[in-house]
Amino acid sequence: MRPHTEDRRSATEDRLRTALAARAALVTHHDLRPDAPPQGRSWGVRRARRIALTALGAAAAVAAGLLILLPGSPLDPAPAPPAHSPGIDERPPPTPPYPAGPSGTDPRVITRP
């Protein structure tokens, strides 16, 4: 006959607990000393790359600012030339063939009898 499933689990848990407790008893305060400090290069590749990219970004920002703010920059438009005076026509205006004064036969004037 097979033992009940819960009984089997509790027996396994008890065995695991006692094994872990025995293993934990083997560890002493001498085993828990702090690690030695890291040795080798103090500057990592990532740190050097980060500083280089920051410096390049700052240089690009300064260059862009100088291009915009300095006179004669490519973004500064050239001044427009002055406007030319309009040409003056020396010919007099044409005279109409009819008289310029009012006449009695003006079709626009309505007279009442």
Side-chain angles (χ1 to χ4, degrees):
M1 265 178 86
R2 299 177 78 187
H4 192 23
T5 309
E6 289 183 19
D7 293 337
R8 191 171 34 167
R9 284 186 188 162
S10 66
T12 305
E13 287 179 9
D14 289 339
R15 291 179 69 193
L16 281 174
R17 286 179 198 268
T18 55
L20 289 173
R23 181 72 174 174
L26 295 176
V27 178
T28 64
H29 70 279
H30 295 292
D31 296 329
L32 300 176
R33 70 177 189 279
D35 283 342
Q39 296 180 1
R41 298 182 299 182
S42 63
W43 282 60
V45 175
R46 288 183 179 168
R47 185 173 180 189
R49 186 181 304 151
R50 183 176 36 207
I51 290 175
L53 288 176
T54 303
L56 282 174
V62 168
L66 288 176
L67 282 176
I68 291 172
L69 295 177
L70 288 179
S73 69
L75 298 177
D76 190 22
H84 298 288
S85 60
I88 299 175
D89 193 9
E90 297 297 327
R91 292 179 280 155
T95 57
Y98 53 89
S103 68
T105 61
D106 190 4
R108 291 179 287 169
V109 177
I110 300 175
T111 58
R112 292 189 181 176

